[in-house]
Amino acid sequence: MGAASPVAGITPAVLNTGSGPVRVMCAMSVPRLGWQDHMFCWPRGLIPYGISPVRLEGAFWGQCRERVLTDMVEMDTDPKAPPLWILTLDYDTIFEQDAVPRMLTYATASDYDIVAALQMKRRVEEPLFTMKSEDGDRLAAVPRDHFVYHNVIQANTAHFGFTMIRAEALKRMPHPWFLGKPDKDGQRGPERIDDDIHFWQVAQGHDIKTGVCTRVCIGHAEVWFKWPDQNMKGLVQHPGDFWENGGRPPENVWQ
């Protein structure tokens, strides 16, 4: 199952925002081996603000994530203390040194319960969140001005790479928060529900307002293979494309 959650003894940091003081804890998901860029990124973005990340590690990501978040919520028992916000980080997240206070500024000033930073998917040219129209259909395109004019936009799914969660919102969500489900045929095909998507569905079903902050963007670490092309210039290829192509480089590689 992985290492036990070391939440006990961790004191939340207290940061001042335009909306008043808040307490902040951080749940960081990590593998046994990870990105060095991230490992040199998070200390400069957390330590100056007194935030001690709590590591979650194990084969069952959803279970580990839920255990750590549950422990953090259960220790939030003082009604006189400033509101508790929980920051989630992934091991492949790259962010600026002032991303935490900027994110808190927009999250606490809004009426959103969960606010994720703006992040791109791997491999494809799409942001890592989804939006729905008034009739419930997934939006395929949104005017750029919508992102320019709003600090936080409503989203029905997002990510946990750099996401602020109001602890009080988690208290309103029934367990399990993370649960993977196969498709109607019992297969793990495109129609499956992954652990993280289940979380967003539970949140939506219990009036938890979820969104994406358009003022804070983060990087998503990703490997690319670089080959020489026919003109001895760089030609990049995603690892997925390499293996789906039978372990071969792109067609216009140097020969």
Side-chain angles (χ1 to χ4, degrees), residues 74-118:
E74 290 180 348
M75 69 175 289
D76 180 34
T77 58
D78 185 357
K80 297 181 181 179
L84 175 63
W85 285 80
I86 301 172
L87 169 67
T88 63
L89 283 181
D90 283 338
Y91 76 102
D92 56 2
T93 295
I94 307 300
F95 59 101
E96 295 178 270
Q97 187 171 3
D98 64 347
V100 167
R102 286 193 292 118
M103 182 68 125
L104 283 172
T105 296
Y106 295 112
T108 58
S110 73
D111 60 348
Y112 284 81
D113 299 299
I114 305 174
V115 181
L118 188 58

Side-chain angles (χ1 to χ4, degrees), residues 122-149:
R122 296 191 190 93
R123 195 174 183 180
V124 296
E125 298 297 322
E126 294 180 15
L128 196 49
F129 67 89
T130 61
M131 302 173 66
K132 286 185 177 180
S133 62
E134 293 183 358
D135 57 8
D137 293 333
R138 179 174 174 174
L139 290 175
V142 179
R144 184 178 185 275
D145 286 353
H146 184 70
F147 301 100
V148 173
Y149 296 144

Side-chain angles (χ1 to χ4, degrees), residues 34-232:
W35 295 94
Q36 290 300 311
D37 291 308
H38 172 76
M39 293 306 296
F40 280 84
C41 181
W42 75 255
R44 71 171 192 160
L46 299 185
I47 291 176
Y49 307 106
I51 302 172
S52 299
V54 177
R55 182 189 73 173
L56 59 104
E57 176 189 324
F60 306 103
W61 177 89
Q63 295 182 33
C64 294
R65 175 77 74 181
E66 185 150 353
R67 288 171 61 196
V68 172
L69 293 180
T70 299
D71 287 352
M72 290 180 172
V73 169
E74 290 180 348
M75 69 175 289
D76 180 34
T77 58
D78 185 357
K80 297 181 181 179
L84 175 63
W85 285 80
I86 301 172
L87 169 67
T88 63
L89 283 181
D90 283 338
Y91 76 102
D92 56 2
T93 295
I94 307 300
F95 59 101
E96 295 178 270
Q97 187 171 3
D98 64 347
V100 167
R102 286 193 292 118
M103 182 68 125
L104 283 172
T105 296
Y106 295 112
T108 58
S110 73
D111 60 348
Y112 284 81
D113 299 299
I114 305 174
V115 181
L118 188 58
Q119 185 179 40
M120 298 299 291
K121 291 181 180 180
R122 296 191 190 93
R123 195 174 183 180
V124 296
E125 298 297 322
E126 294 180 15
L128 196 49
F129 67 89
T130 61
M131 302 173 66
K132 286 185 177 180
S133 62
E134 293 183 358
D135 57 8
D137 293 333
R138 179 174 174 174
L139 290 175
V142 179
R144 184 178 185 275
D145 286 353
H146 184 70
F147 301 100
V148 173
Y149 296 144
H150 297 86
N151 295 329
V152 182
I153 59 168
Q154 192 158 4
N156 62 298
T157 67
H159 58 83
F160 295 93
F162 191 100
T163 301
M164 288 288 182
I165 304 174
R166 197 189 304 266
E168 283 298 325
L170 289 178
K171 295 176 183 179
R172 305 201 305 270
M173 289 174 55
H175 293 279
W177 296 334
F178 300 89
L179 180 66
K181 302 176 184 177
D183 60 24
K184 59 183 178 60
D185 297 319
Q187 303 293 321
R188 302 288 175 174
E191 300 301 318
R192 71 186 185 281
I193 302 296
D194 290 333
D195 289 28
D196 55 346
I197 298 302
H198 176 81
F199 175 92
W200 300 106
Q201 291 179 342
V202 173
Q204 294 292 318
H206 289 82
D207 297 323
I208 307 297
K209 194 169 183 181
T210 58
V212 170
C213 181
T214 61
R215 303 294 181 253
V216 180
C217 61
I218 60 173
H220 205 168
E222 184 171 17
V223 167
W224 290 84
F225 300 155
K226 195 168 188 178
W227 304 85
D229 70 5
Q230 294 291 339
N231 297 309
M232 285 292 183

